[in-house]
Amino acid sequence: MIAIREIIAVIMIVIGLLFLVISAVGMLRLPDFYSRLHASGNSETLGMMLTLLGFVIYEGANLISFKLIFIFMFVFIGNPIGTHILSKAAYKTGEPVWTNKNNEENKEGGSN
């Protein structure tokens, strides 16, 4: 029975780490602030939650699991709120939004 619990925990941790890597790649590859914020906000939240849940399953029912669930709740509540506040502040300060039109102008300007 312990082996099954460990296998499930490892699968969840690996899937969580996969989402964290996808979030990091999105931060590097996406064109503007809002797209990067979207990638980091969604993928990072899901990755952290799956990883922490895998650790909780691995540890079993004890004080460490309670602390991990507490951290899980803070990430679940705090990360979306933080990304929303950052995007709202960027919009109010005039951070430009990437559009396909912007991409075409950059291509035309670079070829002259």
Side-chain angles (χ1 to χ4, degrees):
M1 189 67 175
I2 294 174
I4 294 172
R5 187 178 76 194
E6 289 176 358
I7 291 170
I8 293 171
V10 167
I11 290 171
M12 293 188 81
I13 291 169
V14 168
I15 292 172
L17 290 174
L18 180 68
F19 273 98
L20 290 171
V21 168
I22 290 170
S23 175
V25 170
M27 290 289 292
L28 295 173
R29 298 284 301 172
L30 291 173
D32 71 333
F33 177 77
Y34 300 107
S35 300
R36 291 176 185 158
L37 194 62
H38 178 74
S40 70
N42 292 339
S43 299
E44 182 183 336
T45 301
L46 185 60
M48 285 295 296
M49 289 171 44
L50 286 172
T51 304
L52 289 173
L53 196 57
F55 289 146
V56 167
I57 291 171
Y58 182 77
E59 281 295 320
N62 58 17
L63 183 61
I64 294 172
S65 295
F66 177 74
K67 291 176 184 179
L68 288 172
I69 291 171
F70 199 64
I71 293 169
F72 175 89
M73 293 305 294
F74 274 122
V75 169
F76 182 72
I77 293 170
N79 210 358
I81 291 171
T83 55
H84 177 75
I85 290 171
L86 283 172
S87 65
K88 194 171 183 179
Y91 183 76
K92 284 186 177 183
T93 58
E95 181 70 28
V97 178
W98 181 85
T99 61
N100 198 20
K101 183 179 177 184
N102 293 347
N103 191 25
E104 290 171 3
E105 288 174 1
N106 289 338
K107 285 182 181 178
E108 290 173 6
S111 63
N112 288 335

